[in-house]
Amino acid sequence: MIIAEQKPLDEIKGLIADAENVLVVGCGTCVTVCFAGGEKEAGILATSLRMTSKLDDAPKEVTHTTVQRQCEWEYIDPLADEISAADVVVSIGCGIGVQAIAERFPDAIVVPGLNTTFLGMPTEQGVWEERCAACGECILGLTCGICPIARCAKQLLNGPCGGSQDGICEIDPDTLCAWQLIYDRLKAQDRLHLLTEIQPAKNWSSSRDGGPRRITREDLRLEAEAAE
Amino acid sequence: MTEAQSNGYKSGSRLERILRDGHFAVTGELGPPQSSNGDVIREKAKILLGYCDAANITDNQTAIVRMSSVGAGTIVVQEGLEPIIQMTCRDRNRLAMQSDLMGAYALGMRNVLCLTGDHQSFGNHPTAKNVHDLDSLQLLQMMVGMRDEKLFQCGDEIKGIEPRFFLGAAANPFGDPFEYRPYRLAKKVEAGADFIQTQLIYNVPRFEEYMEKVHDLGLHEKTYILAGVGPLKSPGMAKYMRDQVPGLDVPDEIVDRMTTATKGIDKEDKKARREAWRSEGIQITIELIQKLRDIEGVCGVHVMAIEWEEAVKPIVEGAGLMPRPEVTALPAASTETGE
């Protein structure tokens, strides 16, 4: 899922400095699960902004609402009235949610309340780790289910660099060396021969390097939309 | 085809000819300055000239911005010293690496060391975006393709003079997973590494263990392996390298030798202590070279005396590696160049 964390309150205050009416919009999907931008966090943020604006002698009207998914029109369309009444909308969805609201409501001033950080998962209560870089050409079949694009600091495709020591990546004592993990797993599965094959230069055109990406599934499109 | 075009040599560099003639090679290292001062390069080149067969020109080493390796290499060529251009995958994509190396070839450089590159978080621009479009193996493959197939990485033909480099790669015998390291070397050899320079070696028995596996895989017969050595300057440096640098193995015995080097010297006599440490550092390096030279498959040494180029002379002399050999003259090029 998409992992995000809330921006520092001072930064959010700066983003809404000129507004009197502020609407905080939470999202009920990924950012709820990672405790960054769900209904509960929307309420806490709205309260914090209200209180801090009072302390600053510039009280603001801060309301909040949460939709099931900020990244689909059908869930955000019902917010039209609330959004038009607000001077600024603070989206605490991921970056997709912020942009969806901006795209759907051309007059709205929308600012992000979160930093969208990575595609990952919780590895223990309170700890999330990156797992996928959405490179568009999955190689997990070659690396026994451990992604060196997302998890090696240098995105190496042909084994560990010289900075792998005791299973740890040289850049950070809390980061495991992805290639040590791959090696250990392939060894345990008696498939080390996979590591002797040279992986050629990767085609990055399916990644972000190829520009903004788009998938079109003609079999799923509705006729009217397809004709547009 | 390519053999005919290249006089039978891959690049015909001095380093290639020394190794092919069976001499025990010596390479040095020259770090460009953190400025545009070409005189720094000239001075360092003068110190190294005659004491090593070629010198690595580092490429933003430890991710600290310095004069480019190709720019500095140009000056080194002018000084009569042969450069080994280091090229990291951290700062350039495949377009930039091909164009920079075509330029390097046109400017007279003939050796390239293909590296992944230290992570930018260690350097002075930790907020930079890294590239890693290719890894070091893929860089090797690309440069082999340009040299031997006359093809750009995309598959287009190079219509004209192709960059013909003697291609090197690095190997770290002490990184983890230790058992995998020889196989990673095998991949680099398969990708086309003509020569290998290793990480600094202080633990000879462990390196011998690594080399046994290298022998089993027959890699020493397919590439020239240059063992990396470097003089320690102080006990503090020895301890730091033992305890803090991932992928380095400095035995306690070496640290102890550096520590006891100042025995009997007044603690206040800082100059004498410094000299004693440096002298011991050079002596340890000489002994390491003598041991490494006896290991089958070690074809030379790579002496890394970063910011201490003056140490190369006493090390090479002390190890009995002077004078450096004359190289075989290049035969005349074949006329079948197709140009």
Side-chain angles (χ1 to χ4, degrees):
Chain A
M1 64 180 172
I2 294 170
I3 310 296
E5 59 184 348
Q6 194 178 305
K7 283 179 176 291
L9 194 62
D10 280 345
E11 186 182 344
I12 301 174
K13 278 171 67 181
L15 290 168
I16 62 167
D18 299 331
E20 287 179 9
N21 292 301
V22 177
L23 174 65
V24 176
V25 183
C27 177
T29 309
C30 307
V31 293
T32 291
V33 183
C34 68
F35 304 98
E39 190 168 7
K40 186 178 160 200
E41 291 78 22
I44 294 169
L45 179 60
T47 307
S48 304
L49 291 173
R50 212 177 293 127
M51 285 167 62
T52 189
S53 66
K54 272 186 192 160
L55 289 172
D56 293 342
D57 284 333
K60 296 180 192 299
E61 276 295 317
V62 187
T63 54
H64 67 93
T65 185
T66 298
V67 297
Q68 184 58 40
R69 278 205 284 282
Q70 275 190 37
C71 56
E72 291 196 51
W73 306 138
E74 64 186 279
Y75 291 103
I76 57 173
D77 282 346
L79 295 178
D81 289 346
E82 284 172 277
I83 287 175
S84 65
D87 300 324
V88 171
V89 176
V90 179
S91 163
I92 55 169
C94 68
I96 306 165
V98 180
Q99 294 182 68
I101 292 174
E103 194 168 338
R104 204 58 164 180
F105 303 103
D107 297 331
I109 296 173
V110 191
V111 299
L114 303 184
N115 289 320
T116 306
T117 41
F118 51 79
L119 304 182
M121 60 179 286
T123 50
E124 59 181 276
Q125 180 71 25
V127 178
W128 291 267
E129 291 183 9
E130 184 164 16
R131 288 291 181 267
C132 178
C135 73
E137 194 184 61
C138 192
I139 56 162
L140 285 168
L142 297 169
T143 55
C144 64
I146 296 162
C147 181
I149 304 294
R151 299 175 69 179
C152 167
K154 298 174 183 173
Q155 305 188 331
L156 301 183
L157 288 173
N158 281 293
C161 74
S164 174
Q165 195 89 64
D166 301 324
I168 303 296
C169 171
E170 64 179 358
I171 68 156
D172 172 18
D174 291 329
T175 300
L176 300 179
C177 169
W179 278 103
Q180 178 78 55
L181 295 173
I182 292 167
Y183 177 83
D184 290 344
R185 191 167 161 86
L186 285 175
K187 191 179 179 188
Q189 294 180 347
D190 201 19
R191 294 201 295 157
L192 278 176
H193 63 276
L194 284 175
L195 286 188
T196 61
E197 294 162 17
I198 297 177
Q199 296 309 317
K202 185 171 167 67
N203 173 4
W204 293 103
S205 67
S206 59
S207 185
R208 243 310 275 138
D209 306 273
R213 291 168 280 177
R214 176 190 173 100
I215 292 174
T216 304
R217 285 271 304 269
E218 293 299 344
D219 58 322
L220 294 176
R221 299 186 87 187
L222 300 176
E223 267 180 50
E225 284 178 354
E228 273 175 19
Chain B
M1 177 187 79
T2 54
E3 290 283 295
Q5 284 179 19
S6 66
N7 318 331
Y9 287 97
K10 289 183 172 172
S11 83
S13 73
R14 179 184 175 83
L15 179 63
E16 181 183 8
R17 285 179 284 159
I18 293 255
L19 287 166
R20 203 192 271 200
D21 286 352
H23 298 299
F24 191 77
V26 178
T27 54
E29 196 144 303
L30 190 158
Q34 295 181 58
S35 75
S36 297
N37 188 350
D39 288 341
V40 175
I41 312 279
R42 289 183 193 96
E43 281 160 25
K44 288 185 176 184
K46 284 188 175 79
I47 294 168
L48 293 171
L49 188 62
Y51 296 98
C52 57
D53 305 313
N56 289 33
I57 315 299
T58 54
D59 178 17
N60 290 338
Q61 67 186 76
T62 63
I64 288 171
V65 173
R66 292 168 181 276
M67 189 192 294
S68 74
S69 55
V70 174
T74 307
I75 298 172
V76 169
V77 169
Q78 290 164 358
E79 290 298 309
L81 179 64
E82 180 168 290
I84 299 167
I85 301 304
Q86 294 197 357
M87 178 72 40
T88 73
C89 298
R90 177 195 58 229
D91 304 334
R92 296 173 189 80
N93 67 8
R94 62 191 82 178
L95 281 79
M97 290 196 279
Q98 289 178 100
S99 69
D100 280 358
L101 289 173
M102 284 194 292
Y105 186 81
L107 288 163
M109 284 152 255
R110 293 294 179 267
N111 309 296
V112 170
L113 186 73
C114 302
L115 300 168
T116 302
D118 296 317
H119 195 265
Q120 73 276 7
S121 59
F122 294 107
N124 61 356
H125 289 73
T127 59
K129 190 174 193 288
N130 60 24
V131 181
H132 299 298
D133 174 23
L134 304 181
D135 63 24
S136 56
L137 269 107
Q138 295 157 351
L139 169 56
L140 271 170
Q141 284 183 318
M142 180 171 78
M143 297 316 296
V144 168
M146 291 181 93
R147 181 187 69 197
D148 296 346
E149 311 289 334
K150 285 194 80 162
L151 295 175
F152 289 105
Q153 194 275 336
C154 62
D156 287 353
E157 185 191 346
I158 301 171
K159 291 174 183 156
I161 297 171
E162 74 280 19
R164 304 194 57 81
F165 289 107
F166 192 52
L167 295 167
N172 186 349
F174 308 109
D176 283 326
F178 183 66
E179 324 84 79
Y180 177 62
R181 291 291 156 180
Y183 295 97
R184 174 138 164 100
L185 177 64
K187 283 177 84 167
K188 290 191 173 184
V189 172
E190 190 188 338
D194 301 311
F195 69 98
I196 298 292
Q197 290 173 322
T198 78
Q199 171 65 287
L200 287 166
I201 298 164
Y202 293 101
N203 188 339
V204 175
R206 196 140 189 257
F207 179 64
E208 282 173 324
E209 202 183 320
Y210 169 85
M211 285 301 289
E212 275 173 30
K213 193 72 198 170
V214 168
H215 297 151
D216 291 346
L217 295 169
L219 302 177
H220 62 304
E221 287 161 355
K222 295 177 183 167
T223 193
Y224 299 106
I225 298 171
L226 278 63
V229 293
L232 296 162
K233 283 181 184 171
S234 66
M237 178 184 178
K239 283 177 199 157
Y240 177 78
M241 288 167 88
R242 179 190 63 188
D243 302 330
Q244 304 290 331
V245 182
L248 264 188
D249 185 335
V250 185
D252 291 339
E253 176 206 336
I254 301 265
V255 178
D256 292 344
R257 276 186 66 175
M258 289 303 291
T259 310
T260 53
T262 49
K263 207 174 175 182
I265 298 173
D266 183 1
K267 278 203 170 174
E268 295 307 309
D269 193 347
K270 288 187 177 157
K271 195 181 167 201
R273 285 164 66 83
R274 182 171 170 272
E275 287 308 312
W277 283 329
R278 292 193 167 211
S279 168
E280 187 67 7
I282 288 170
Q283 184 55 35
I284 290 170
T285 309
I286 291 167
E287 291 168 28
L288 284 168
I289 292 174
Q290 285 161 345
K291 285 181 196 161
L292 292 166
R293 200 177 175 173
D294 290 337
I295 299 172
E296 188 191 352
V298 173
C299 302
V301 280
H302 177 48
V303 184
M304 288 171 265
I306 295 284
E307 300 307 319
W308 189 16
E309 287 78 8
E310 295 82 359
V312 173
K313 180 182 176 203
I315 288 169
V316 175
E317 284 176 343
L321 297 172
M322 287 299 291
R324 298 310 307 143
E326 292 300 316
V327 289
T328 309
L330 278 175
S334 160
T335 51
E336 297 172 50
T337 57
E339 279 291 306

